[in-house]
Amino acid sequence: MTALVLALIAGGLVGLALGALGAGGSILTVPALIYLLGFSPAAAATGSLVIVIVTSVTALVAHARAGAVRWRAGLLFAAAGLLPAALAGALTARLPAALLTLMFAALAALAAVRMLRRRTPRRTGTVSTGRAAAAGAGLGAVTGLLGVGGGFLAVPALVTVLAVPMSAAVGTSLLVIVANATFALAARAHAGVHLDWALIMPFLATAVLGAWDGGRLAAKVSPAALQRAFGAVLLTIAAAMAVMVAW
């Protein structure tokens, strides 16, 4: 019963962060699954992909209805990341748990720094096919290996590399995330990782509900204040994970 309550609370907080910021909520899912619900790093990454896919599809529908998705740019960007996502997803079960945890802590720290600095990406005005392919492949590998959506990486990449306007970058990044996460999850299907669905499903349900509340919260609180608060939380989590591995 205690684990179920923790899953409900953690899912709500993840959804709240996702709804308020448009990205970043999924990066809380992995540590929540590991340290609150007792998942192994490999199982947490796999379970996180399930949650990322469902919540991102939900958000993508809303953005699509508002006309804020650049389908061609998103599909081209996603195509470059599909193979790396699948390969990295298959590789996860073969890596030591401590290494996966340290890699995730480094990624969380990077996300925290980006949010604390609060820099808005600038459009370059030109589109480089090579840079777009490299950025798409890198994001796919991160999604497949660590089980995170990578919205905080996808949004600036879409703006600076593919010249997607900021008004459509979040919605387009969700399309990329769904594609990469789906391929990564498919690659893990035969890895033999056990998932506790009795905990994942309530986590997912409250994450979706929390995302709606997060959207209302974003309308009442300064986006800059939300980013700083979330960045501080992420930095704390990254430090705690690194210390626990070293310990």
Side-chain angles (χ1 to χ4, degrees):
M1 181 61 71
T2 301
L4 177 59
V5 172
L6 288 174
L8 291 170
I9 294 173
L13 292 175
V14 165
L16 190 68
L18 180 63
L21 298 172
S26 62
I27 207 169
L28 293 176
T29 303
V30 172
L33 292 175
I34 293 174
Y35 297 112
L36 293 181
L37 302 179
F39 283 51
S40 69
T46 303
S48 177
L49 286 173
V50 175
I51 295 166
V52 164
I53 291 169
V54 176
T55 53
S56 295
V57 167
T58 302
L60 176 60
V61 170
H63 282 273
R65 287 177 176 173
V69 179
R70 294 294 179 91
W71 295 97
R72 184 175 180 275
L75 290 173
L76 288 174
F77 194 82
L82 295 183
L83 181 59
L87 293 176
L91 178 64
T92 298
R94 302 176 182 272
L95 296 178
L99 176 60
L100 286 174
T101 303
L102 284 175
M103 292 173 68
F104 187 90
L107 182 66
L110 173 62
V113 170
R114 293 187 68 91
M115 290 188 171
L116 290 171
R117 292 173 69 181
R118 301 186 350 262
R119 289 187 177 179
T120 301
R122 297 180 180 178
R123 294 176 61 179
T124 60
T126 59
V127 177
S128 167
T129 303
R131 288 181 61 199
L139 180 62
V142 169
T143 300
L145 188 63
L146 301 178
V148 299
F152 69 96
L153 296 173
V155 171
L158 287 167
V159 173
T160 58
V161 178
L162 288 183
V164 174
M166 196 66 193
S167 58
V170 171
T172 306
S173 75
L174 290 168
L175 173 63
V176 177
I177 289 166
V178 169
N180 286 339
T182 300
F183 265 70
L185 185 62
R188 295 166 185 258
H190 303 291
V193 177
H194 171 72
L195 294 180
D196 189 344
W197 292 101
L199 294 177
I200 288 180
M201 294 308 293
F203 191 111
L204 178 57
T206 53
V208 173
L209 293 175
W212 295 342
D213 291 332
R216 290 193 290 267
L217 177 64
K220 298 178 181 179
V221 182
S222 164
L226 285 172
Q227 281 201 354
R228 285 195 297 270
F230 187 67
V233 170
L234 273 184
L235 200 57
T236 302
I237 290 175
M241 292 178 76
V243 168
M244 291 184 73
V245 171
W247 188 272

